Amino acid sequence: MMQQAAIPLGLELRVLANSPDESAAKVIVDTRLGDYRDLSVLREFAAGCDAVTFDHEHVPTEHIKAMAEQGVQVHPGADALVHAQDKAEMRRRLTEIGVPCPAWRTVETAADVAEFAAQNGWPVVLKAVRGGYDGRGVWVCDDENEAATVVANGVPLLAEAFVPFERELAVLVARSPHGQGVSYPVVETVQEDGICVEVLAPAPGLDAEVAAQAQRIALKIADELGVTGLLAVEMFDTADGLVVNELAMRPHNSGHWTIEGARTSQFEQHLRAVLDLPLGSPSMAAPYVVMANLLGGDDPDTFKRYEHVMAHDPGVKVHFYGKEVRKGRKIGHVTALGADLDDVRARARHAAVYLTTGEYT
Amino acid sequence: MMQQAAIPLGLELRVLANSPDESAAKVIVDTRLGDYRDLSVLREFAAGCDAVTFDHEHVPTEHIKAMAEQGVQVHPGADALVHAQDKAEMRRRLTEIGVPCPAWRTVETAADVAEFAAQNGWPVVLKAVRGGYDGRGVWVCDDENEAATVVANGVPLLAEAFVPFERELAVLVARSPHGQGVSYPVVETVQEDGICVEVLAPAPGLDAEVAAQAQRIALKIADELGVTGLLAVEMFDTADGLVVNELAMRPHNSGHWTIEGARTSQFEQHLRAVLDLPLGSPSMAAPYVVMANLLGGDDPDTFKRYEHVMAHDPGVKVHFYGKEVRKGRKIGHVTALGADLDDVRARARHAAVYLTTGEYT
């Protein structure tokens, strides 16, 4: 998806891939194969690049530092990115700058969790400090026994109070090295089993003051943490106000709607930000935009259902990621736009459900 | 630009290029180098492709026929494409199906031209039957002496009556092998020295009945000629009605506005058409869309003026084609969208003029 944005800007991309079968490798001519955990691979890769950025958060912080010390423009930098890599570090820093978070502490034993629950109540949400993704690395524990099972996995853990939320929101902002910031409209993300299935832009019925507050929080985080590039801030909308859940520092699933739905797609915005070019307009291309994820179903042959979806709704946009279909895996998304939210949402859902299951909704 | 459309559709492109420096070769992994005039090269290239199409009209008709006879899906087919390759063939067929054309005849001598002028008046427009492009291969002759100079070039010529037009229009339609057709809104193309500098979508102030008639003409041509893929029909808007000027059977400069300005870009539409997939919605993403071409200026370093344009107008979209800058060459385009035509047009012009000349308009 970054390549779609790079082509019109006249930017040439180079990608470091694990294998030539990866989605990006299929559409980027200058593909280098190698292990992103190997500093010598990273150094060779970066030679001659104007800027280096990431589409995941797993590149070791110390390698990013080492590259930056040698003059490579790495965006986001290690000091910012660590907050998207390490949830304990994120909570520490957000608390320090006064951003609303759930009660939290790092825990090492089930007794630590019980002690935390004594103050904040059960259930307690345990999160792997590093490496979680799409609901993996997150456990909602109702008692000390359940906590003990999670602790036995042996991974460093963060305990957070369970937040009774009304819905989940996300704010996507961009910040450039020279400090320009821009925020997209606040969106609602609809989750099932910890995986985002639908994004509604803008978040329906959100109070304008709350929306502005959400954008201020996201821009503040970007500024205080020195983020360069995109920052996605996932929030809980609760009866007591907004609470920050997670951070990501890259183009994010909650921003895929921007490809057709905003004047500047998140991918173009990220490229402009990491190259320190002036940022693009985040304004919407239609009153409502709905993105629905395509999650791999039982039948891997989604292509045969393609024709129906295209014929049924000539305005829906289908995006496939060129990934092998596996049950539950995000293999693509669809986007619908229009003036009537219910209609737009129904169109996106129909396309997503039909493409993945063949069921007619 | 085709690659931008192919990525989300999950389609893998293969391109036949003359050199690895060509724009398409820079962004398409499966690039084959070879001469499109060589049938054996074309055959090898086509092996394993679901469909083969073109981004220019110069592949020899007989090679296209030979490929199709061997079962290659070539769109548009030779019988249709010949009307975009051979202007005499085009005039003959359009006249046959009752499409309004200027008076015309093929000519071999200056005396032929004079005879034609005796009936239709001077000036006479002489056109190379094959190979013209962007004003090249077109000569407006005021008398027999001028005609004699053109005839002396030795290329087969078509004579056409000079059409006193009010403005130039273009209609872009798509037609799929199973016969589905779709028309984009009629646009106005603004030419300078025979080169399109600006496209206004929709054509400002065009009478709805004339617009519908223009679309009917274009769809009729696509249907009667058996076009598969895109067809761009350039027309003159005259006091006596519409007159067809030129045909192109590929994504066309007059349709670049659709990338952000329509729900389905012309490149996505062409891919859908040549693969016989249902066609996408041609509806506009904003009330007015203006595309301005970037023509190479004296200073080849356009990139340094990029920042100003981006900072000046965060909503304007810049497209570079990755071509070396040569004086007068189309090296990219810019697109602006909005509700006020004058404003949108001024924004597109400012960006285009500044990017190519550094002048502030």
Side-chain angles (χ1 to χ4, degrees), chain B residues 15 61 113 295:
Chain B
V15 68
T61 318
V113 180
L295 303 175

Side-chain angles (χ1 to χ4, degrees), chain A residues 314-335:
Chain A
V316 78
K317 306 319 284 184
V318 178
H319 295 254
F320 282 113
Y321 303 158
K323 290 179 179 175
E324 207 188 314
V325 175
R326 286 202 298 261
K327 181 88 179 167
R329 188 188 204 186
K330 282 179 193 157
I331 55 165
H333 72 269
V334 298
T335 304

Side-chain angles (χ1 to χ4, degrees), chain A residues 163-186:
Chain A
V163 175
F165 59 84
E166 287 161 12
R167 59 175 169 174
E168 293 187 65
L169 303 175
V171 190
L172 186 66
V173 298
R175 183 174 172 278
S176 62
H178 79 279
Q180 189 186 9
V182 73
S183 175
Y184 286 92
V186 182

Side-chain angles (χ1 to χ4, degrees), chain A residues 1 3-5 7-12 24-31 260 263-265 268 272 275-281 285-286 303 306-308 310-322 337-338, chain B residues 1 3-5 7-12 24-31 260 263-265 268 272 275-281 285-286 303 306-308 310-322 337-338:
Chain A
M1 289 186 275
Q3 174 71 315
Q4 282 174 257
I7 292 172
L9 294 174
L11 304 173
E12 288 176 34
K26 290 180 187 169
V27 297
I28 295 177
V29 174
D30 190 359
T31 293
E260 298 91 4
R263 287 284 172 251
T264 308
S265 83
E268 177 179 345
R272 289 166 79 145
L275 288 165
D276 212 11
L277 291 167
L279 300 178
S281 164
F303 198 82
Y306 210 50
E307 284 195 302
H308 162 81
M310 287 187 169
H312 181 78
D313 185 346
V316 78
K317 306 319 284 184
V318 178
H319 295 254
F320 282 113
Y321 303 158
L337 307 85
Chain B
M1 290 186 274
Q3 174 71 314
Q4 283 175 253
I7 292 172
L9 295 175
L11 304 174
E12 289 176 33
K26 289 181 187 168
V27 296
I28 294 177
V29 173
D30 189 0
T31 293
E260 299 90 2
R263 289 283 172 249
T264 307
S265 82
E268 178 179 345
R272 289 166 78 145
L275 288 164
D276 210 11
L277 291 166
L279 301 178
S281 164
F303 197 82
Y306 209 50
E307 284 195 301
H308 162 81
M310 287 188 170
H312 180 79
D313 186 345
V316 78
K317 307 319 285 185
V318 178
H319 296 252
F320 281 114
Y321 304 157
L337 306 86

